Amino acid sequence: MHSTQPSLPRRALTGAFLSLAAAALVGCASAPAGLAKPNADTSPDALLKRAQAYWDLVKANDNLGAWAYEAQSKDPRWSLEGYLKKGGITYSHIKVLGVKSVEGSAGVVDIEMTYSAPLQRIKDQQVRTDDQWELIDGIWYHSLRRSGMFLR
């Protein structure tokens, strides 16, 4: 009796081929960090829209929604749980004033805000500051300012 199933070596080769093809497709679909995908919008307007959406979520205290805009969300060393534990700062006013610069995969947005940190007994502090953004896989992500005091 003749079997309609492929022989074991043929099935193994077919499986290996499908695995390689899937790996090649995945490799083609993801660009290295910092490089834009061909259809990505890396313009200052795209950065401005992302920054406004991010700060709207922060002001609304929607940390779960804001996480999707954080560069940390793309770093396996960070977790959503850790991000949600940060906090203690509330914002009563946030205004995205405009894009100051875009150079390669780095962007800077000019913002003004009024914030409070009740645990530190800081209330209604007004500040105008540079907000750092970075381009990851063709999308702008909010980037924490690095400080010597707070190393990753």
Side-chain angles (χ1 to χ4, degrees), residues 2-124:
H2 188 266
S3 172
T4 59
Q5 297 261 340
S7 67
L8 185 57
R10 186 173 175 188
R11 279 190 297 196
L13 284 174
T14 302
F17 173 76
L18 290 175
S19 295
L20 287 172
L25 286 174
V26 169
C28 291
S30 59
L35 296 179
K37 292 180 182 176
N39 61 353
D41 186 356
T42 61
S43 70
D45 285 341
L47 172 55
L48 187 62
K49 287 177 186 172
R50 290 274 296 174
Q52 187 63 59
Y54 168 77
W55 283 108
D56 286 348
L57 291 166
V58 170
K59 185 176 178 194
N61 201 28
D62 183 354
N63 290 331
L64 187 60
W67 171 249
Y69 289 79
E70 294 285 0
Q72 293 173 328
S73 71
K74 298 301 196 184
D75 186 337
R77 296 175 294 176
W78 292 89
S79 69
L80 173 60
E81 293 79 16
Y83 178 76
L84 293 175
K85 287 180 184 176
K86 76 165 186 69
I89 298 176
T90 59
Y91 299 88
S92 58
H93 167 78
I94 298 173
K95 184 174 183 182
V96 177
L97 301 172
V99 174
K100 286 183 90 171
S101 67
V102 172
E103 295 178 19
S105 64
V108 178
V109 175
D110 187 19
I111 61 171
E112 67 179 23
M113 65 176 69
T114 303
Y115 69 92
S116 298
L119 294 175
Q120 287 80 28
R121 298 185 183 171
I122 297 171
K123 186 172 179 172
D124 295 328

